[in-house]
Each structure stands twice: as structure tokens, then as C-alpha cells.
């Protein structure tokens, strides 16, 4: 039972130190995520992650034939340089699409590894004495390849929609639910069959169908639901890694798979909860389409007040406390740096400035936080919804910049609104509300009108967010 | 390792994942996504096995392609996470 | 199971233990102590092996004694926990 | 590598379903603790724990020779009845000693199982082909027996001190640190030796030394530090179970060991933190002894006000909000039921009543919460230190009943005080303080004087806590 001093249980002669090394790598990955529980420990966490990866890679290299070490090093080198350059160059506002693009690579890598294992089962020690591939391994390979392929094609679509290279509007095929369910059933059925018959056409068909279903599943989902989809695909890429980990009996892969799988699932859950929508309704797709139609009908002519940058600057100076609510529009306009300058100005005048972040502000979880951090806003001035919402009643100015749905009071009162039940900021309790957006016509992603525009205490500041804030800064300087 | 051992490790790792992810502060959810991106490329282990072992030339080239992709992810994922995390700063004491 | 598998399970279980215990509400720390009491008596598994298998009479009697002790703990621990937990009530809505 | 469909890897022919059953048991134990995160889920959690234990026991029974089923059932029956009767009869105030007593049983059971494995290694599948016991198993057995024995004798002492059957005062041997460290080193050395030589005298010596060291380690620790000790022993009993789990390759035992081990360690840590003392200083012992000497010297004659039950009842009725701070004295006097009645009275008069619990109030973690729950106090009226401490500034009466150290402002101001740095309730900010204790002479466990006695707004209510509260109730009735 205890074979620490004996040889490993599989024929490849794995020795216990190898298992230990992979376990250490797995633990380091756990510590990498654990570090993210606070900004001060997060960088150490990232180093743990790197160390874990190094251990996993080196262990694998030293315990296998190195028939092709040069090729491998070249491959790592190519990939590494590409990855590194992308990471240095990418703009922070483009993070959502970068994450989606990276997922597609993990997915495709999983498909390729699965195929390689199928073609060279001996290398993976999954051959039975009879010369056939172990049926359980076939199950794992089939699942791993299918999940990987779905992750790949789904992430490609998500990337295209987030990067604006494909319209964000949902594309709705007729009978799509039927087609999707049918394809999924076919994949599962074929995977079962594959356990009894290892013919190449079966695994090939699984691969093709999975690529197709990944595509079909994501095109009907609107652009603004993409963050949920990206998290879901993140989760999938984890499960694909875990499936390969089962095949290889590799602790590091299994642990990582479970971590990443949970992470994506929990992020999706958090976002759905913050939008008060069910995961199923997001995945069923079509949200953006119906909503913008509804939004169009709801618009009416009501009086509202427009202000200028000078007005805003004057009143901000008079205020004692200002709460800034950034949203997707701030990211689009890249207004975060100008905003930080404005806050610095105001702080010099003795105004207290805080930032209020909604869990789904922007286009990915934590999106606003990263942008503010990029603009050197200290993270202890940035607050979450539940921590700051009670402060609006005491605040002089609620400064809304590029946010919309997350301040819409219809979520609290109007049962027929598509965002009903979503937790929102109580900006209507603030003494003054400044609302930066480009035009009265434009709406938030949910496509509904916003009563905040028409409140007595609201001043609409219609312009590009960056331009408007820069003008305010000039007025403050003067 | 037998299947039950692997399954046990997987089940326990899911519990760990559940708790460790819930303890991540919402402000770091974007870095969480990019770092999970990087670590899920541990699938490179499989790619290395495929490309290192003799046996099937096709498998080797598939493996090498997977090594490239996983490396993009590993280097890109960790580097972009590092870049983001370096930006999170506390208020300076005056 | 080989040693590394067991070790991996142990290490992951320690992580789970860490998180799951920190998530226990302080008001239930006394029940936590009594229920951990009960479950640590899973050592009864070893006692049963010793008393069920033929081989050594001494081992059998040691095993049986251990079965008695562990059973006291199991029944006592779960029962007293149940009794305590039944007492925790929310304010009744009027 | 994947042997789900093949036989187990060890000779005993364990089949995979057995491993699965133990895994399920382990998961159920995790869920048992998870349930305790909230009172509403806690009872379901306890049921999961029971189910897990049932699965573990039944699986073990059906997969082994049942040469002695009747004896086993009788043994379980005897133990079960004893345990059940104790659980029904025990008074809630006696929980600390019950927990200690239960720990001693786990510890002893671990020792016996370890010996049984040594005497019948074949049954535990730890024989090498050579006929010797696997050296790694010997290491595990040695550690398991040693930890079990320490748990046993340590818990017996803790039980005797908590039950008042042995003086709580620390018993300090000369050169005790030297003796303890020497004995520990001897145990470790012998365990190492045992790996190379499986002679019976070695394991016997380990057992005896471990019993002795458990005894020696605990007698120098004062009665009031016993909760930390009990948690530490709780942790040990977990590690002992884990060691046996390694020997048997049993997932349920390993998982449980890790859970219980962490639980005890974390509770010890929480208590030490709440007393602002290091774990080492607690375990080094001698706290009660030095402290009471210091306390004796510190006492001085300062004016204080005494009140009667009638005075207290009158002022309580006038109050708008009352915060009750129970402590060890409430447990000693069993005053919780009378206290609940008093609160009911006050609530009927429109007074808001809350309870404030310090993490180390009483003689075990959560002790006060259980007693209040026993007296039917709803748990949503009971608050933790950090949640309620800011409310004292607004409260009319802080009603201290049998607590002392946890309200001592010296912890905030007096660097020379033995409790300096311990977080305490800010009762000095309340408009009125009522302080129930038996005499001005008696002090809390830290043995230091308390400035709260002498504050202008303090009224001392000197009597047994139960008697005093009953008198207040009578006065309220009148
Ligand atoms: N973050 C996530 O992970 C996530 C996930 C799923 C769904 N969502 C959804 O995304 C939405 C996010 O809410 P949000 O409040 O951040 O944004 P939003 O509701 O989409 O509103 C964006 C606002 O920014 C304005 N805007 C756009 N570009 C601008 C520019 N260059 N300058 C100035 N203003 C500009 C828009 O008005 P104009 O067009 O008039 O300028 C609009 O008022 C929520 O409905 C949420 O449910 C987010
Ligand atoms: N809970 C834990 O897990 C734990 C762990 C480690 C250490 N401790 C220590 O234990 C102490 C607990 O603090 P605590 O505030 O609960 O208690 P305490 O400081 O020990 O004080 C107990 C108080 O109750 C009074 N008292 C005793 N019997 C009474 C009776 N029958 N009727 C009325 N009053 C009675 C005592 O005064 P008279 O004698 O004058 O009546 C004394 O004022 C802390 O110092 C803590 O550090 C607790």
C-alpha cells in the first residue's frame, strides 16, 4: 500500500519524487490564487504561480526522453516571446478580449494534446496490455478534446465580439436550442461509443462537432453578456486541463483544473447574481436583441438639464464629498487618467473623493478596478457596492462617468424592466448628480431609459468622457 | 496512482478552488482571470510529453504546436498579471 | 494508493480544513469542537480492522477496546452536538 | 495508470468502490464542518457527519473478515450507549470538560489501534514481502501512537482541571522545559530508530514516554489556559487519526485528520489572538501563577458604588438600550435562564436588549453562545466583539454579568498589564455600567484589578449572578 520506497505503480517507472514535484506545483498554484485575496500579497502570489509552472515544466522535461529537446526549446521560445510581447503591449482597456484570446489557445492546446495522446498512447502510459487504449482514458480524452474544442471556438467568437471585430448583436438561428442540444447529445453519445471502439473517425467527429457547437453556443449571445461567457469558457478550459490530468495521473494538472474550473464558475455566478439574471438565461442568449427593441419603445420626451464643464467644476469645488461611479464609458473613452487628475485637484481643495464600483461595471469583472489602478488611484479609495451604497445619502455629488445601468433606479422599482432586481447605486439620494455620457440618445447595454437623467438634481454633461473631464480639469485650474 | 486516488485529489481540489476563489477580493477579479489563464496552461505538461517521447511523428508535431500555444499563454498570462498587479497601490501616507 | 497520492490528499485536505474552519461562525465554536470530536473517531476504522481480522488475539482485544472508546465518542459527540445545535434559534417574527 | 477497472494496487484486493466509499465519507465530513458556517445549516451539517461515519464503518465491516462480528457489535453497543447517555445528561456548563474527556478517548483509541497494527501487521496490509513491517508504516505507527498517547494523558489532566477535580493552579517543576524537550527528543529519536528496528521495546518505550510527556506538558498550564490546551489536543487527535489514515491508506481518515487538525489549530490561534498572547507563551505554562501574584499587589483601596437589585431594576426600566456582557461567572452561576427572563421583561418595556460576546469569554470558544442558546436567546440578538463594540457609546446600560478581564480598560492603556493588547469591550463609553460579581476581592482569571469597578457611572452588584438576576426580575415584576 505504501510504496514510497518502492517503485511507482505504473510501468513507466515513475519515481515518487516526480509525484512530489507535481504536488508542490499544485500547491504553488493554490497559493497563487490565495495571494489575490489582497493587493499587498497578490504579487507574491503571482511569483508562486510562476514557480509552480517552472517546477511542472522542468519535472516533465527531466523525466521523459528528450528526443527532441531543441524543437521543444524553440517552441517554448517562440510562444514565450509572443506572449511576452503581447503582455507588454496590450492596453488595459483591451483586457477582456485578451483574456478571451488566451482562453482560445488553452482550448486548442487541450485538443492537440488529446489528439497526440490518442496517436501516441504509449508515451502517455495509457495502453492496456492488450495494446488498446484504456477505455477510461478514452473517456477522458474524448471529454478533454470536446471541452477543449468548445473552449477554442467559443473563445474565438467571444474575442471577435469583445474586440469589436464582429457585431456584438446576438445572431439568432431558428431552432437553435434544438440544434445545440442535438449536437451536445451527439458528442456525448460518440464519447460513450469511443469507450468501446477506438476508431479514429469517432474522435475526429467529436472534435469537429465540438468546434461547431462552441461556435453555435456563443453567436446568439449579445456582446454585453460576453464577460459571463468568457468566465464560463475560463471554467471550461480548467475542466479540460483536469481531464488531461486524469489521463496523465498528474496532480498539478488536476489541481489546476479544479482551481480554474471553480474560478470561472464562481465569476460567472457572481456576475449573474449582480445582474439578477440566471446563468441559463445568459447562456440561452438573445438578451441584447430583445432589450434594445424594448428600450427603443420606452424612450419618451421629458425635461432634463444640461450643464457645462465650467458649471460642473464650480460645483465640485463647493462640495464636501464626491463619489465617482465609473462604468463602461470610462473605459471606452480611456478617461481614467484625466479622472484621477480631477480627483487630485479636488482633494487639494479639501473635497473628499471616493470611487464606487459595481460588480458588473465595465465589460469584465474587476475591469474598473484595473483601469483605476492603472491611473494610480490608490485601491483604498475604491469601494464596492455594498460598502459605499449607504454613503450616497450624505454625499454632495454623485459623479457618474460612463456608467448607466448600474445607477438605474428602475432596477429597484420597475418590475417590468429587464434589469429589475439588479442591485444598483442609490444615486437618487445624493444632493447633486453629474452624469457624463455622449448623447441623450445612447443607452446602457440593457437598452433601457434611465430616470436619473430627468431628476431635478441631475446635470447631464454630454460629451466624450475623457474630453469632458479634461475640460473640468481646465476649469478647476483656472 | 489509481483512479480513486486521482478522483480524491480532484474532489478535494474542487473544494480548495471553491474557497480560495471566493476569498479573492473583487478588485482583483481581472488579474484572477489572467492568472487562471496562465496556470491552466499547465496543460503544457501533456504537450511536452507528446513532443518529447518518440513514437509518432504526428503526435510530436501536434505536441510542439500545443507547446507554442501554451507558452504564449504562460508567458503572456503571468506577465500581464504582473503588470496589472504592479499598478495596485495604497494611498501614500503624507 | 501510493504514498504520493496519500500525501496529496492530505495536503489538499489541510487546505480544505483551513478554509472550512475559518468559515465557521464563532457562535458555533463549541459545537465545532464537539463535532470534530465525533468525526476524529473515524479512527474506529482502524479499530474495526484490528478486531475483525484474524491473526493476533491481543490485537483483536486491543481493537475491541478501541472500538468501545471510539463509539463513546461517535455517539456522544454527534448526540451532544445535535442537542446544542437544536438550541440555536432565530428571533421569532411577531 | 488508470486502474478503475483493474484491481486495487495492494495485495488485499481492495476494489475501487471501497476507496470511493471512503472518499464520500471524507466529503461528508467536510460538509459537516461547512454546515457550521451558519446556525440554519448546522443541523444538516451534523447529519452529514453522521452519514459519513455510517458509511465509513459499514464499508470497513463489509470489506473485512467478520471473524468477530458479535464482539464488534457488542463493543459498538456498549460505547454507543455510554456516549449517548453522557450526551443526554451533560449540563451545558460542563461542555469544556466533556470535550476534554472525549479527546482523551480518541487519543487512547489511537494508541490501541497503533499497537494492534504493530501486533497484527498483516491485517493492516503493511507487511513487506520480507515479513518485516514496512519502515514507512513503522514511522507512521510510531508517530500515531506518540501523538495519541500525548493526547490521552494531556486531555486527562485538562479534564481534571476543568472539572475542578484538580487545582487549576499551574504546577511548576524545576527545569521543566529541559525535561520536556529531552523527553520529546527521546520520542523522536526512538521513532527514527523504530524505522530501522521493529523491536517491541522501542515502541513500548515510545508509548510510555509519550504518556509521561503529555502529563508533564499540561500540568504547568493554569486552569484558565485550558481552553487553548483543549483545542491543541483536539488538533493532536486529528493528526493522530491522519497518521493512522496514512498507514491504512484510508481517505476518510486522512481527510478527517486534516480537518480536525486544522480546526484545533485555528481555534487555538483565535483564542491566543483574542488574549493577545503567543501560543508559545501559553504552552510554556505558568500564566495563572505569576499573574495572581501580580494581581495581589496591584489591588488598592479606591471608592466604588454598590447598588441593589431594586436600583438596578429601576434604572434598567428607564433605559432605551441595554447591552449584556456575559462571562465565565454567568456559566458558574448558571444564570443564563434568569438572564433571558430579565431580557424578556425589558423588551416588554420597550428596552432594546443585545448580548455582546467576547471570543474568550467563558472557558471555551463559543461557550457563552451555547449557554445563551440553551436559555432560548435568539442568536440574532447575540453579537461579536467587533460588530457591537462601537455601540457602547450610544447605549444606556452596559450590563456585565460574570465577565471581568474582557471589559478591563487596562488592556487598552496599561502597557504593564498582563492583558495589555487584548481587545476588550469599551464599556467605559456607556452611560451606565452595572457589574455583577460576588465580591470586590475576586478578580478575573488574569488576576488583575479592573478600573471599571471605580468609575463614576459604575454600580457594583455584589452577589451570585443567578441570585442577583432573579432579584432584579422580582423587582421588575413588582
Ligand atoms: N462587467 C461585467 O463583467 C459585465 C458582465 C455582464 C454584463 N455586464 C453589463 O454591462 C453593463 C455595465 O454597466 P455600466 O454601467 O458599466 O455601462 P452601461 O450600462 O453599458 O453604460 C455605458 C454608458 O457609457 C456611456 N458611454 C459610452 N461611451 C462613452 C464615451 N466615450 N464617453 C462618455 N460616455 C460613454 C454610454 O452612453 P452614451 O452611449 O450616450 O455615451 C452609457 O451611458 C451592465 O448592464 C452589466 O449588466 C457587465
Ligand atoms: N473562553 C476561552 O476559550 C478562553 C480561553 C483562554 C483563556 N480564557 C480567559 O478566560 C477569561 C474569560 O474572561 P471572562 O470575562 O469571561 O471571565 P473572568 O475574567 O475570568 O472573570 C469572571 C468573573 O466572574 C465573576 N464570577 C465568578 N463566579 C461568579 C458567580 N457565581 N456569580 C457572579 N459572578 C461570578 C468573577 O468575580 P467574583 O469571583 O468576584 O465573583 C469575575 O469577575 C479571560 O481572561 C480569557 O483570557 C478564556
Amino acid at each position: 500500500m505504501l510504496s514510497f520506497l518502492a517503485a511507482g505503480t505504473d510501468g513507466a517507472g515513475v519515481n515518487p519524487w516526480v509525484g512530489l514535484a507535481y504536488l508542490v506545483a499544485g500547491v504553488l498554484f493554490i497559493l497563487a490564487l490565495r495571494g489575490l485575496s489582497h493587493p499587498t500579497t497578490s504579487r507574491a502570489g503571482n511569483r508562486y504561480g510562476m514557480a509552480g509552472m517552472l517546477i511542472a515544466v522542468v519535472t516533465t522535461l527531466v523525466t521523459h526522453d528528450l528526443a527532441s529537446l531543441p524543437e521543444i526549446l524553440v517552441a517554448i521560445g517562440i510562444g514565450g516571446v509572443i506572449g511576452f510581447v503581447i503582455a507588454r503591449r496590450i492596453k488595459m482597456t483591451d483586457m477582456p478580449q485578451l483574456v478571451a484570446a488566451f482562453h482560445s489557445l488553452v482550448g486548442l492546446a487541450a485538443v492537440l494534446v488529446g489528439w497526440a495522446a490518442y496517436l501516441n498512447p504509449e508515451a502517455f502510459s495509457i495502453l492496456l496490455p492488450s495494446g488498446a487504449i484504456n477505455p477510461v482514458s478514452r473517456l477522458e480524452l474524448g471529454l478533454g478534446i470536446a471541452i477543449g474544442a468548445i473552449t477554442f471556438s467559443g473563445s474565438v467568437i467571444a474575442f471577435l465580439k469583445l474586440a469589436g471585430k464582429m457585431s456584438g448583436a446576438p445572431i439568432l438561428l431558428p431552432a437553435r436550442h434544438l440544434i445545440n442540444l442535438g449536437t451536445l447529445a451527439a458528442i456525448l453519445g460518440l464519447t460513450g461509443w469511443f469507450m468501446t471502439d477506438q476508431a479514429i473517425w469517432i474522435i475526429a467527429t467529436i472534435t469537429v462537432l465540438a468546434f461547431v457547437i462552441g461556435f453555435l453556443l456563443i453567436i446568439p449571445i449579445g456582446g454585453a453578456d460576453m464577460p459571463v461567457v468568457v468566465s464560463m469558457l475560463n471554467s471550461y478550459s480548467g475542466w479540460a486541463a483536469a481531464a488531461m490530468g486524469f489521463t496523465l495521473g498528474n496532480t498539478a494538472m488536476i489541481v489546476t483544473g479544479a482551481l480554474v474550473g471553480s474560478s470561472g464558475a464562481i465569476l460567472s455566478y457572481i456576475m449573474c447574481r449582480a445582474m439578477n439574471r440566471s446563468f441559463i438565461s445568459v447562456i440561452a442568449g438573445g438578451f441584447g436583441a430583445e432589450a434594445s427593441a424594448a428600450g427603443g419603445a420606452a424612450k419618451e420626451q421629458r425635461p432634463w438639464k444640461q450643464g457645462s464643464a465650467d458649471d460642473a467644476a464650480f460645483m465640485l469645488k463647493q462640495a464636501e464629498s464626491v463619489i465617482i461611479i465609473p462604468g463602461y464609458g470610462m473605459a471606452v473613452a480611456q478617461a481614467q487618467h484625466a479622472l484621477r487628475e480631477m480627483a487630485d485637484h479636488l482633494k487639494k481643495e479639501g473635497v473628499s473623493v471616493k470611487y464606487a464600483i459595481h460588480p458588473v461595471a465595465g465589460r469584465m469583472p474587476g475591469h474598473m478596478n484595473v483601469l483605476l489602478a492603472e491611473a494610480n488611484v490608490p485601491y483604498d479609495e475604491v469601494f464596492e457596492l455594498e460598502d459605499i451604497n449607504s454613503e450616497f445619502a450624505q454625499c454632495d455629488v454623485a459623479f457618474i462617468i460612463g456608467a448607466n445601468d448600474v445607477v438605474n433606479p428602475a432596477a429597484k422599482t420597475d418590475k417590468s424592466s429587464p434589469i429589475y432586481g439588479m442591485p444598483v447605486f442609490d444615486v437618487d439620494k445624493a444632493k447633486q448628480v453629474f452624469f457624463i455620457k455622449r448623447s441623450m440618445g445612447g443607452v446602457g447595454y440593457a437598452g433601457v431609459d434611465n430616470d436619473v437623467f430627468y431628476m431635478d438634481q441631475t446635470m447631464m454633461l454630454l460629451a466624450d468622457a475623457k474630453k469632458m473631464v479634461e475640460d473640468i480639469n481646465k476649469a478647476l485650474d483656472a | 496512482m489509481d483512479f480513486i486516488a486521482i478522483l480524491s485529489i480532484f474532489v478535494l481540489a474542487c473544494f480548495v478552488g471553491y474557497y480560495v476563489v471566493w476569498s479573492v477580493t473583487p478588485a482583483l477579479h481581472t488579474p484572477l482571470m489572467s492568472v487562471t489563464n496562465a496556470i491552466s496552461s499547465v496543460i503544457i505538461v501533456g504537450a511536452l510529453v507528446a513532443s518529447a517521447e518518440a513514437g509518432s511523428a504526428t503526435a510530436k508535431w501536434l505536441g510542439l504546436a500545443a507547446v507554442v500555444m501554451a507558452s504564449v499563454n504562460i508567458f503572456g498570462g503571468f506577465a500581464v498579471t504582473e503588470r496589472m498587479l504592479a499598478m495596485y497601490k495604497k494611498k501614500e501616507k503624507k
Side-chain angles (χ1 to χ4, degrees), chain A, chain B:
Chain A
M1 180 134 286
L2 279 155
S3 50
F4 185 68
L5 302 171
T9 44
D10 65 317
V14 170
N15 83 53
W17 297 104
V18 177
L20 194 63
Y22 286 127
L23 172 61
V24 169
V27 168
L28 286 168
F29 292 147
I30 295 175
L31 296 178
L33 298 201
R34 180 167 161 65
L36 293 174
S37 59
H38 197 273
T40 48
T41 54
S42 59
R43 294 182 72 182
N46 202 34
R47 306 282 155 75
Y48 288 135
M50 295 180 196
M53 191 59 78
L54 192 68
I55 291 176
V57 169
V58 171
T59 307
T60 311
L61 285 179
V62 299
T63 52
H64 287 86
D65 298 346
L66 288 178
S68 43
L69 188 60
E71 288 99 316
I72 290 177
L73 292 182
V74 169
I76 294 182
I78 297 176
V81 169
I82 299 177
F84 206 72
V85 169
I86 296 178
R88 299 307 301 268
R89 297 253 174 100
I90 189 88
K91 273 189 276 168
M92 280 300 136
T93 34
D94 293 342
M95 277 307 296
Q97 46 271 44
L98 181 69
V99 168
F102 278 168
H103 284 159
S104 70
L105 292 180
V106 187
L108 194 52
V111 174
L112 297 182
V113 172
W115 269 90
Y118 173 77
L119 295 174
N120 189 4
E122 213 187 330
F124 287 74
S125 325
I126 52 175
L127 278 186
L128 290 182
S130 69
I133 300 178
N134 184 324
V136 180
S137 303
R138 282 187 236 161
L139 173 66
E140 294 156 0
L141 287 182
L143 287 178
I145 290 176
I147 301 175
I150 295 177
T151 309
F152 171 73
S153 55
S155 297
V156 168
I157 306 293
F159 168 77
L160 292 174
K161 290 203 174 190
L162 284 167
K165 302 197 168 145
M166 176 174 162
S167 148
I171 298 169
L172 300 176
L173 300 182
R176 61 198 160 88
H177 293 311
L178 213 70
I179 300 177
N180 291 349
L181 290 178
T183 317
L184 278 180
I187 291 176
L188 289 179
L190 284 169
T191 310
W193 189 355
F194 187 54
M195 281 183 79
T196 62
D197 176 358
Q198 64 181 71
I200 193 163
W201 73 264
I202 301 183
I203 186 81
T205 315
I206 291 175
T207 313
V208 171
L209 284 181
F211 279 129
V212 172
I213 184 88
F215 179 80
L216 290 180
L217 276 176
I218 310 305
I219 51 163
I221 302 180
D225 273 341
M226 276 305 129
V228 182
V229 169
V230 171
S231 301
M232 181 190 83
L233 294 170
N234 189 4
S235 181
Y236 286 1
S237 73
W239 304 129
M244 293 299 157
F246 270 80
T247 307
L248 283 164
N250 184 303
T251 318
M253 290 172 82
I254 296 171
V255 170
T256 313
L259 289 177
V260 178
S262 319
S263 167
I266 290 175
L267 287 179
S268 310
Y269 169 80
I270 290 177
M271 276 184 278
C272 289
R273 189 184 57 179
M275 296 190 294
N276 196 36
R277 289 175 58 204
S278 78
F279 184 72
I280 300 294
S281 85
V282 170
I283 293 310
F287 186 67
E290 304 146 26
S292 54
K299 236 159 279 164
E300 8 160 352
Q301 290 299 332
R302 285 192 273 167
W304 48 274
K305 279 197 290 274
Q306 182 162 5
S308 70
D310 290 333
D311 303 338
F314 179 77
M315 291 200 257
L316 282 170
K317 263 194 207 169
Q318 313 294 316
E320 270 183 33
S321 63
V322 173
I323 299 179
I324 298 174
I325 302 166
Y328 179 59
M330 178 189 84
V332 174
Q334 305 236 37
Q336 62 271 27
H337 300 278
L339 191 64
R340 208 274 336 278
E341 273 173 47
M342 184 187 93
D344 286 349
H345 262 302
L346 293 177
K347 279 194 270 179
K348 242 180 264 150
E349 307 271 347
V351 184
S352 125
V353 180
K354 290 179 181 174
Y355 300 80
I357 311 284
H358 194 279
V360 293
R363 285 297 176 263
M364 82 185 295
H367 196 182
M368 293 297 122
N369 303 79
V370 172
L371 296 180
L372 292 178
E374 187 197 12
N376 276 317
V377 172
Y379 59 77
D380 39 6
E381 287 177 8
V382 182
F383 296 86
E384 284 163 52
L385 176 64
E386 56 274 28
D387 295 330
I388 201 168
N389 216 3
S390 61
E391 293 186 26
F392 282 101
Q394 283 92 49
C395 104
D396 294 315
V397 179
F399 189 91
I400 302 166
I401 169 164
N404 195 336
D405 297 337
V406 300
V407 298
N408 194 334
K412 292 186 283 186
T413 51
D414 177 4
K415 291 213 174 153
S416 69
S417 167
I419 59 170
Y420 180 72
M422 165 169 163
V424 291
F425 290 114
D426 295 333
V427 288
D428 42 340
K429 298 206 178 124
K431 293 204 193 80
Q432 283 261 312
V433 178
F434 294 174
F435 206 123
I436 301 187
K437 66 198 300 284
R438 287 164 307 181
S439 69
M440 284 310 281
V443 283
Y445 120 77
V448 290
D449 205 18
N450 192 335
D451 282 343
V452 171
F453 301 163
Y454 314 109
M455 296 191 311
D456 275 347
Q457 69 268 45
T458 301
M459 187 165 85
M460 299 300 300
L461 302 169
L462 297 183
D464 175 78
K466 188 173 176 187
K467 171 122 201 350
M468 176 55 74
V469 176
E470 283 169 347
D471 288 348
I472 294 179
N473 284 340
K474 274 186 218 132
L476 283 172
D477 267 338
Chain B
M1 281 199 213
D2 59 44
F3 186 81
I4 289 298
I6 297 182
L7 186 67
S8 306
I9 292 172
F10 178 68
V11 169
L12 290 170
C14 287
F15 274 101
V16 176
Y18 174 86
Y19 281 107
V20 94
V21 172
W22 271 113
S23 75
V24 171
T25 167
L28 295 177
H29 275 164
T30 299
L32 172 66
M33 293 187 90
S34 63
V35 84
T36 50
N37 229 307
I39 66 173
S40 66
S41 301
V42 72
I43 200 155
I44 195 174
V45 166
L48 290 173
V49 172
S51 36
E53 297 275 344
S56 152
T58 327
K60 177 180 151 183
W61 287 108
L62 290 179
L64 283 174
V67 169
V68 174
M69 289 168 200
S71 304
V72 171
N73 238 325
I74 292 174
F75 285 83
F78 282 124
V80 83
T81 309
E82 189 73 24
R83 208 182 121 198
M84 277 192 270
L85 293 178
M87 300 183 319
Y88 283 81
K89 288 191 204 77
K90 228 185 142 91
K91 191 152 36 186
E92 285 142 42
K93 290 267 143 31
K94 283 152 203 166

